Amino acid sequence: MPTYAIGDLQGCADELRALLRAFAFDARRDRLWFVGDLVNRGPKSLDTLRLVRSLGEAAVCVLGNHDFHLLCRAEGFARKHADDTLDEILEAPDADALLQWLRARPMLHEEGGHVMVHAGLLPQWTTSKAHALAQEVEQALRAPGYREFLAHLYGAQPDAWRDDLTGWDRLRVIVNAMARLRYCTPQGQMLLAVKRDDAPPDARRWFDLRPPDEPPIVCGHWSTLGLVISEKLLALDTGCVWGGRLTALRLEDRALFQVPCAGYQKPGD
Ligand SMILES: [Mn+2]
């Protein structure tokens, strides 16, 4: 079954449709993996969310930081950012169903020798450990008390993993790593505020610190990193919403499909 992994959409529904045409997507035959950040900053977040949800079993999607932002906005736990384009979702007649569907998406997906996560994994986490930790977050998101979890989600502390973490701190570290991480120290301290050129000397790209003999990771979240197709990393955020491209990679043979994007926001990350 051909599996196409697709980069960050961020509300670029027209580009998604063009990309699906580019590889002649057939829902009876193909599967789609989405690296998360389906929504926000682009012009058609509502359309994008409806489209991906309508794909049903043909699509797998992990949660990204913008998806969490939408869930928190909907509950009143996050402030509206100047470049948010989420109001059309919050005001839609099917908002509840869409948000409920989004909240039930996984943090991590592992299948056929590949692991997908939105941003990254910490150096101490093997794939099997990360899988178990992802399930702790998924359980909290699907539990009756999920609003309390979302209320305690935001924050950058603690900034490192410890096995004895409990409660909201434990879940917050898991979410921050899987949905926000770019740089960390070799000891696994997350440097969430670090951008391109202001990285301290001990900052490492998270994927340079992965334990050996782990399966390749499919991810997005890092548009300034650009497309990376290597043995252990398939990084697919090619900056669609910034005027770059939307990328699909067929995992079986690494065939690459891309469509150009109009550019709805000024470049940044
Ligand atoms: Mn992201």
Side-chain angles (χ1 to χ4, degrees):
M1 193 156 50
T3 300
Y4 296 83
I6 297 178
D8 308 47
L9 295 174
Q10 296 209 252
C12 295
D14 294 343
E15 287 77 4
L16 174 57
R17 289 195 175 86
L19 185 65
L20 297 181
R21 282 195 298 275
F23 58 81
F25 171 65
D26 181 342
R28 293 163 300 182
R29 178 195 65 200
D30 303 325
R31 293 196 74 209
L32 303 178
W33 284 19
F34 293 96
V35 299
D37 280 358
L38 298 182
V39 298
N40 210 10
R41 292 188 172 156
K44 296 189 176 179
S45 286
L46 177 59
D47 190 11
T48 304
L49 205 48
R50 286 174 174 161
L51 173 55
V52 175
R53 181 179 178 231
S54 75
L55 293 166
E57 299 287 307
V60 177
C61 174
V62 292
L63 288 166
N65 53 309
H66 285 283
D67 307 312
F68 275 106
H69 182 57
L70 171 60
L71 294 173
C72 288
R73 280 279 315 273
E75 302 293 347
F77 300 140
R79 273 196 297 269
K80 182 175 178 171
H81 298 161
D83 51 3
D84 274 3
T85 57
L86 299 171
D87 287 350
E88 59 169 355
I89 297 173
L90 300 173
E91 293 160 7
D94 53 347
D96 285 351
L98 291 168
L99 292 165
Q100 205 174 341
W101 173 83
L102 189 65
R103 190 159 50 80
R105 295 310 94 204
M107 292 298 296
L108 178 149
H109 183 73
E110 184 179 5
E111 192 180 339
H114 290 91
V115 176
M116 177 169 64
V117 68
H118 178 64
L121 297 178
L122 288 171
Q124 308 93 311
W125 294 347
T126 61
T127 300
S128 62
K129 175 156 189 156
H131 203 152
L133 298 177
Q135 285 171 343
E136 293 186 28
V137 171
E138 292 158 12
Q139 219 163 31
L141 282 172
R142 295 166 195 179
Y146 74 92
R147 291 187 79 249
E148 208 187 336
F149 169 41
L150 292 176
H152 290 87
L153 180 62
Y154 278 116
Q157 295 295 329
D159 61 2
W161 177 253
R162 290 199 329 261
D163 282 326
D164 62 354
L165 283 173
T166 58
W168 307 131
D169 282 354
R170 181 179 177 92
L171 298 179
R172 190 181 309 112
V173 171
I174 300 168
V175 172
N176 281 345
M178 294 187 185
R180 295 175 63 193
L181 185 62
R182 293 188 183 103
Y183 292 101
C184 60
T185 68
Q187 293 73 38
Q189 182 193 9
M190 292 186 277
L191 304 167
L192 294 175
V194 165
K195 307 242 163 154
R196 275 166 288 181
D197 298 326
D198 62 353
D202 61 345
R204 302 284 182 275
R205 303 179 300 185
W206 67 268
F207 49 83
D208 291 328
L209 298 168
R210 293 296 300 145
D213 305 321
E214 291 284 312
I217 295 177
V218 179
C219 66
H221 184 62
W222 200 341
S223 62
T224 52
L225 181 70
L227 180 69
V228 180
I229 302 174
S230 66
E231 197 190 338
K232 292 291 183 184
L233 182 73
L234 305 166
L236 303 180
D237 184 356
T238 43
C240 183
V241 76
W242 312 112
R245 293 169 175 197
L246 185 62
T247 294
L249 184 73
R250 192 164 58 211
L251 296 180
E252 288 77 11
D253 63 356
R254 310 255 159 126
L256 185 68
F257 303 86
Q258 292 187 307
V259 295
C261 303
Y264 303 105
Q265 294 275 347
K266 291 203 184 79
D269 58 7

